[in-house]
Amino acid sequence: MSESHPRRHVAILGSTGSIGTQALDVIAQHPDLFEVELLTANNNADLLIEQALRFQPNQVVICNPDLYDRVAEALQPRMIKVFAGIESVCDLVGSPDIDIVLTAMVGFSGLRPTIAALEAGKAIALANKETLVAAGSLVMPLARRHQAPVIPVDSEHSAIFQCLQGERVKPSKLILTGSGGPFRTMPAAEMADITREAALNHPRWKMGAKVTIDSATLMNKGLEFIEARWLFDMAPEEIEVVIHPQSIIHSMVRFSDGCVMAQLSNPDMRLPIQYALSYPYRLPLAMEPLDLIRTGCLSFEEPDLERFPCLAIAQSALKRGGMAPCTMNAANEEAVAAFLEGRIRFTEIPEIIQKTLDKAGFEEKPDLETIYSTNFESRRIAAELIAR
Ligand code: MG
């Protein structure tokens, strides 16, 4: 059975980052199926200009207003409208000629534009996990109210999403896999001396700096644990984390009859990106096919929560609920930035996050305004702890 994929008009928020550039790579492989309507970037004006000249969107946004003149000068003569500031992203993302919005910006700053896209009823290809971590209890009902599908791009959640296709009942368990990062086997005593360079050198995945550090601390798996809770409406007790160093199985689901479904491929983010853009269709993708004989062994182990406390912190923040995950996410963003700037040690990242959680206020049912103020206040607390 085969039917043809409709032509889709795509907005890419964060087009110059790792996910954004790979999404454009996917789109370039199917020029007859995808049309780029909107590209946005924070600071990388040169790459944004290059992408816009190549993909000819109607509109671009450069979030940093200082770079507006440069982008406008390059693109306006080519009939591409240029805007500045995050508010412009929120205004443009709902425009009627956009079918699907890929949210590929980093961190909490993705929340506002994602909400704007959902309120306009746009399909979301969700790559910005922090949106669901900070505000999943508000974002998912909003998506349902506006009948806006939320399709995961994160490889684990894409795997689960793919395993659930055609199923009529909820699974009894989600099994999130993770590579364990570059320090999976490092003795605890050596972890305080981990350098920025070592932490940025992920064994399996090539990604942006924030998610690479999160992968090294296992906070990434913690964020994904929370993301899975909201995307698939599963209780924390129904989600399990398994370390799988080969990164061939991208996650699994178990059903009440004991059947476990897994999605396998070589690690390449273009697959989940393309699936999110083409869903429910599948398109060819030029990538190395999985060779199981050459792969040989697939192994699994329990995550070590003593050496990687970030995962335990995330799990308990989700169980506590309310604004705890938002506070945790804010503190993590501050701590990761401080680590990348050489201001704190690797092992201080979880300490900063835990202390911020201990100090920050708590509300059981925060509204969106409370989420924004919690993010702001938690960052202030974390920054103070870092400065000490
Ligand atoms: Mg992931």
Side-chain angles (χ1 to χ4, degrees):
M1 182 211 70
S2 201
E3 42 180 320
S4 60
H5 184 290
R7 190 166 171 78
R8 283 191 180 146
H9 300 257
V10 184
I12 303 180
L13 313 188
S15 67
T16 58
S18 173
I19 298 288
T21 51
Q22 292 180 85
L24 286 172
D25 184 25
V26 163
I27 286 171
Q29 291 190 32
H30 306 285
D32 48 331
L33 299 182
F34 298 109
E35 192 161 328
V36 178
E37 294 292 338
L38 168 68
L39 296 176
T40 81
N42 277 336
N43 288 300
N44 195 341
D46 292 336
L47 184 53
L48 180 65
I49 291 167
E50 189 189 313
Q51 291 175 336
L53 291 175
R54 179 162 176 215
F55 290 92
Q56 294 290 318
N58 282 325
Q59 297 161 326
V60 304
V61 180
I62 181 79
C63 291
N64 180 345
D66 296 343
L67 300 168
Y68 172 79
D69 286 345
R70 186 144 121 234
V71 179
E73 223 166 273
L75 298 182
Q76 272 168 350
R78 315 296 280 269
M79 308 303 287
I80 298 168
K81 294 184 202 103
V82 180
F83 300 84
I86 186 86
E87 284 311 316
S88 301
V89 180
C90 297
D91 292 343
L92 296 175
V93 85
S95 76
D97 45 4
I98 294 171
D99 299 318
I100 182 162
V101 178
L102 173 64
T103 62
M105 50 310 214
V106 179
F108 183 85
S109 61
L111 178 58
R112 229 180 258 276
T114 306
I115 285 178
L118 288 172
E119 284 175 339
K122 300 300 177 190
I124 304 288
L126 185 98
N128 176 251
K129 62 188 87 181
E130 291 89 345
T131 285
L132 287 186
V133 171
S137 65
L138 301 169
V139 167
M140 292 311 287
L142 185 73
R144 280 191 289 274
R145 259 199 321 277
H146 292 275
Q147 297 182 349
V150 179
I151 306 152
V153 170
D154 212 343
S155 61
E156 294 77 3
H157 306 77
S158 174
I160 291 168
F161 186 69
Q162 293 179 61
C163 290
L164 292 176
Q165 293 307 308
E167 298 292 344
R168 306 266 168 127
V169 291
K170 266 176 82 171
S172 53
K173 200 105 187 175
L174 306 182
I175 306 166
L176 276 179
T177 56
S179 70
F183 311 121
R184 180 175 62 89
T185 59
M186 181 180 273
E190 292 169 26
M191 294 182 77
D193 298 320
I194 288 170
T195 62
R196 178 182 185 275
E197 287 61 41
L200 283 174
N201 187 20
H202 194 274
R204 298 283 168 209
W205 295 96
K206 212 184 142 347
M207 307 172 287
K210 160 77 169 42
V211 58
T212 305
I213 301 303
D214 285 345
S215 297
T217 62
L218 289 202
M219 178 51 93
N220 186 50
K221 217 43 62 183
L223 299 175
E224 290 178 353
F225 189 92
I226 301 173
E227 186 186 6
R229 184 260 172 276
W230 295 117
L231 269 175
F232 304 107
D233 191 24
M234 298 286 281
E237 306 75 50
E238 295 170 326
I239 310 169
E240 193 179 308
V241 174
V242 170
I243 300 300
H244 166 48
Q246 297 82 16
S247 297
I248 295 294
I249 294 181
H250 300 303
S251 278
M252 297 172 259
V253 300
R254 188 162 69 225
F255 293 94
S256 54
D257 59 0
C259 165
V260 175
M261 306 269 275
Q263 185 260 332
L264 291 75
S265 73
N266 283 323
D268 186 330
M269 278 309 294
R270 291 174 309 159
L271 171 54
I273 292 168
Q274 174 169 288
Y275 189 71
L277 293 178
S278 67
Y279 173 80
Y281 300 88
R282 280 194 190 271
L283 299 173
L285 175 64
M287 73 180 261
E288 182 90 12
L290 176 60
D291 181 340
L292 281 172
I293 305 288
R294 234 179 56 200
T295 306
C297 159
L298 299 182
S299 64
F300 305 93
E301 51 198 66
E302 208 177 327
D304 184 341
L305 300 179
E306 305 260 310
R307 284 186 305 127
F308 298 99
C310 282
L311 175 55
I313 292 173
Q315 289 171 323
S316 82
L318 175 60
K319 280 175 196 154
R320 185 156 184 229
M323 51 214 233
C326 175
T327 292
M328 178 203 76
N329 178 68
N332 181 55
E333 288 188 29
E334 289 293 320
V336 169
F339 172 73
L340 285 169
E341 289 159 13
R343 289 155 57 212
I344 60 170
R345 286 172 182 273
F346 186 80
T347 42
E348 287 175 302
I349 296 174
E351 291 171 22
I352 299 285
I353 299 167
Q354 187 57 59
K355 282 183 191 156
T356 305
L357 278 162
D358 295 343
K359 286 186 97 167
F362 182 77
E363 226 175 276
E364 182 81 47
K365 289 198 181 306
D367 59 12
L368 210 46
E369 279 320 305
T370 312
I371 292 289
Y372 289 126
S373 59
T374 299
N375 174 61
F376 185 81
E377 179 61 11
S378 306
R379 276 169 196 276
R380 195 191 55 74
I381 296 170
E384 229 174 72
L385 290 164
I386 289 163
R388 270 187 207 161

